[in-house]
Amino acid sequence: MATKQELEEIKANMATKQELEEIKANMATKQELEEIKANMATKQELEEIKANMATKQDLALIQQAVLETNEIVKKLENKIDNHEQLLTLLSHRSLEHEAAISSIRFILTK
């Protein structure tokens, strides 16, 4: 038989079923842990994503470049419009000159 002191030592070193159930209720299963690991990113993955992302400063520079490019495009459009008008004018003059030359040839061949 065990003495009262031995019995108290056993009780002190052992967990009750209630304590065991509380521990089980607060612990995650291996499956839950694996699911959490599968859904989490590592710090290295996070750093790689951060390294590849644009910052607000980058976006401001890109916006400035887009605005500058837009100004250049508008200037080029204006120049193209002016060139088109000039080409149209020259085309009409060329047609007038050809008509005049044709009239002169007709008069000379009579």
Side-chain angles (χ1 to χ4, degrees):
M1 282 194 93
T3 65
K4 285 186 178 185
Q5 183 180 0
E6 291 171 331
L7 185 60
E8 289 302 318
E9 286 177 13
I10 291 172
K11 283 183 180 179
N13 291 326
M14 299 294 285
T16 65
K17 287 185 178 182
Q18 181 181 357
E19 291 171 328
L20 184 60
E21 290 302 318
E22 288 175 5
I23 291 172
K24 284 182 181 179
N26 291 326
M27 298 293 288
T29 64
K30 286 184 180 180
Q31 181 181 354
E32 291 170 330
L33 184 60
E34 290 302 317
E35 288 174 4
I36 291 171
K37 283 182 180 179
N39 291 324
M40 299 287 287
T42 64
K43 287 185 179 183
Q44 180 181 355
E45 291 170 330
L46 182 60
E47 290 303 318
E48 288 173 3
I49 290 170
K50 282 183 180 179
N52 291 327
M53 289 180 68
T55 63
K56 287 183 179 181
Q57 183 180 5
D58 294 335
L59 292 177
L61 293 173
I62 291 169
Q63 184 178 16
Q64 180 182 352
V66 167
L67 291 173
E68 290 171 1
T69 303
N70 192 32
E71 288 295 318
I72 293 169
V73 168
K74 285 180 181 179
K75 288 177 184 176
L76 289 173
E77 286 175 342
N78 286 336
K79 286 184 179 182
I80 288 172
D81 287 343
N82 290 339
H83 287 157
E84 286 179 359
Q85 290 173 358
L86 182 60
L87 287 174
T88 301
L89 178 65
L90 291 173
S91 175
H92 286 289
R93 285 186 183 171
S94 176
L95 291 172
E96 289 172 1
H97 290 159
E98 286 179 20
I101 290 171
S102 181
S103 294
I104 293 171
R105 282 186 183 155
F106 180 74
I107 292 171
L108 291 176
T109 57
K110 281 188 174 181

